[in-house]
Amino acid sequence: MRFISPNEYEWLLECIQELHSFDDVTTLLAWMLDTALPRLIPSDWISYNEVDLTTPANTMAIFRPEGDARFPALIPRFQELVHQNPLVVRQLQNQNFPVHKISDFLTQEAFHRLELYQEVYQRLGVEYQIAATIRLNPGHVTAFALSRRSEDYTERDRAILEMLRPHLVVAFNNLALVREQQNLLDTARLALDELASATLI
């Protein structure tokens, strides 16, 4: 709290309230990437990532700004090297993982020695990154990552993400439950329709 101004805290509360107003994940993601996170924590790039270390080809990232033409060409290499990101590795090692920055674990020199930096992040201009995990399964991490080219993230930025993260988890879990319930209803309707057709025949 000591890092966040009253105006910032008020906007954070508004974001938390709005998080629970969405009916589908796609709309929630678009709002987080295009509106909420850019206003809360200014960044050069923001991404939503589903990292699958078991099957790297399934790793997915939604990247903002969307018009950056460099990222699509780098996706295959990003998928192959994402296991080098210390935020991913440390998350899998610690189930109670708070919000962390790459600089919490690596010096800038050590970060620059990674193939992930040399072949992906350097080409994008990414020098600093902070991430908030919202879902964790064996070998699979889902997280929002914020990246900058010229200034590391502050304790104020960390505090905002730490307060936002539990509400993100609840919002995503609720939408997943809604989707499961809708699938069950659709299956039930299909079964009833087929039963009615069979009865008529």
Side-chain angles (χ1 to χ4, degrees):
M1 282 296 298
R2 65 185 182 275
F3 302 112
I4 303 173
S5 72
N7 287 340
E8 290 171 333
Y9 187 66
E10 183 177 351
W11 168 236
L12 177 61
L13 292 179
E14 291 176 14
C15 284
I16 290 171
Q17 183 177 5
E18 191 160 357
L19 263 177
H20 304 286
S21 68
F22 294 95
D23 296 326
D24 63 272
V25 172
T26 301
T27 308
L28 171 57
L29 279 177
W31 176 76
M32 283 296 300
L33 293 171
D34 296 327
T35 303
L37 287 174
R39 182 170 176 182
L40 288 168
I41 306 174
S43 301
D44 294 306
W45 301 272
I46 300 174
S47 62
Y48 168 79
N49 308 276
E50 294 182 1
V51 176
D52 187 339
L53 295 181
T54 306
T55 310
N58 292 338
T59 291
M60 181 269 288
I62 302 173
F63 198 73
R64 295 292 191 275
E66 195 172 17
D68 193 321
R70 294 170 294 180
F71 189 68
L74 297 173
I75 286 179
R77 199 62 181 135
F78 174 75
Q79 292 170 329
E80 293 171 359
L81 297 173
V82 70
H83 64 278
Q84 293 185 3
N85 188 315
L87 302 180
V88 173
V89 174
R90 295 302 179 101
Q91 173 63 86
L92 292 171
Q93 293 173 346
N94 185 348
Q95 300 292 313
N96 299 313
F97 195 76
V99 175
H100 269 307
K101 306 180 288 183
I102 286 179
S103 58
D104 291 333
F105 306 111
L106 296 178
T107 65
Q108 203 69 354
E109 292 77 14
F111 178 47
H112 287 175
R113 287 196 293 270
L114 297 178
E115 288 178 273
L116 178 64
Y117 172 81
Q118 295 169 6
E119 299 189 28
V120 179
Y121 288 157
Q122 185 178 31
R123 297 181 186 184
L124 291 169
V126 171
E127 293 291 333
Y128 305 97
Q129 190 172 88
I130 190 170
T133 297
I134 59 171
R135 189 173 296 123
L136 180 64
N137 297 311
H140 194 282
V141 177
T142 300
F144 285 96
L146 293 78
S147 305
R148 288 176 179 163
R149 60 167 59 91
S150 59
E151 183 180 3
D152 203 358
Y153 290 91
T154 64
E155 291 308 307
R156 171 261 183 205
D157 302 326
R158 192 198 304 268
I160 286 178
L161 281 178
E162 284 179 340
M163 284 188 284
L164 186 62
R165 189 172 72 98
H167 298 280
L168 278 168
V169 171
V170 170
F172 273 83
N173 286 343
N174 286 344
L175 288 176
L177 288 173
V178 168
R179 188 167 60 247
E180 288 176 10
Q181 290 172 349
Q182 187 60 52
N183 289 340
L184 287 173
L185 287 172
D186 291 342
T187 301
R189 288 193 190 99
L190 180 61
L192 288 171
D193 289 343
E194 290 178 350
L195 178 62
S197 298
T199 301
L200 286 172
I201 291 171

